[in-house]
Amino acid sequence: MSLMAGKRGLVFGIANDYSIAWAITEQLHKEGAELGFTHLPDRDPANPKMERRVRKLVDPIGAKMLVSCDVQQDADLDKTFALAKETFGEIDFVVHSIAYAPIDDLKGPVYGCSRDGFKTAMDISVFSLMAICKRAQALMPNGGSIITLSYLGGERVIPGYNVMGLCKAALESSVGYLAHELGQKKIRVNALSAGPIKTLSSSAVKDFDSMLNMYGAMAPLRRNVEVEEVGKTGLYLLSDMSTGVTGETLHVDSGYHVMGAPPADAKFS
Ligand code: NAP
């Protein structure tokens, strides 16, 4: 019996086939989940680039819904969950794989971040999880599982990660509070803290390539994590394999987060 047979859910945050949300989707689909998706609204309705690039991926795997949703817009979130109710009735899981900071604010220093940039980054990268949980729980009368994506830069100082580190700290804190509030409804909320992976978003992080090299040299497994491994852990957290796990930040980073100093054999290129 497939792990996700009979389970229905929403995935927020597919930009292309490099997206972590896509890697999680592939695992969910393989295990029989019924899936709905969102994409960012298109500026030019005559040329719906955003919709096209997501549709190209999700149509072949039998997406039950695809709707435009900018998580900064309450009306978009309401529309998305109204369509999910119409499509699925009830849902069992949500993947929140969304983050953004304006590039000028992301490049640092943190003390130079603009007020507006900070608000935008926190709104899209943190508040959106709360806004999604509020709406998702109404469609989860029998419980469910919600995951978000985080990074070690929320727990420790990672030069170059800057304001996004502050966002991930707030995101991981919100996971604890949301897990507490939704636990009695049998809804679990967890964060998956992934090691560095080349995607559209990560290309905006300064010195990303040297971060990849450092992980390869320092992590206990002496290699970077594969996006497929992140996808499989996403599947674990969303499936009944993890029914006792909530409020957790689970690292999928080849063990990098446990290290306090480089191993003797570490060679940095
Ligand atoms: P990605 O493919 O670029 O995904 C980020 C997604 O966020 C995109 O689909 C983007 O949409 C969406 N998004 C941005 N603003 C939005 C808004 N206002 N409303 C709705 N969606 C919006 O990059 P990714 O690396 O897979 O990132 C996914 C998550 O993983 C993020 O939370 C990121 O911080 C986290 N993470 C990434 C890494 C890494 O190394 N890549 C490591 C740890 C954690 P558009 O592309 O259409 O703008």
Side-chain angles (χ1 to χ4, degrees), residues 13-15 19-21 40 50 53 69-72 97-100 124 149-151 161 168 194-197 199-202 208:
I14 295 179
S19 296
I20 291 175
L40 264 186
M50 301 287 197
R53 70 184 187 184
C69 179
D70 177 348
V71 294
Q72 288 195 285
S97 187
I98 287 173
Y100 175 80
I124 296 179
L149 270 296
S150 193
Y151 178 61
Y161 204 58
K168 294 306 190 192
I197 286 166
T199 63
L200 208 58
S201 291
S202 65
F208 188 76

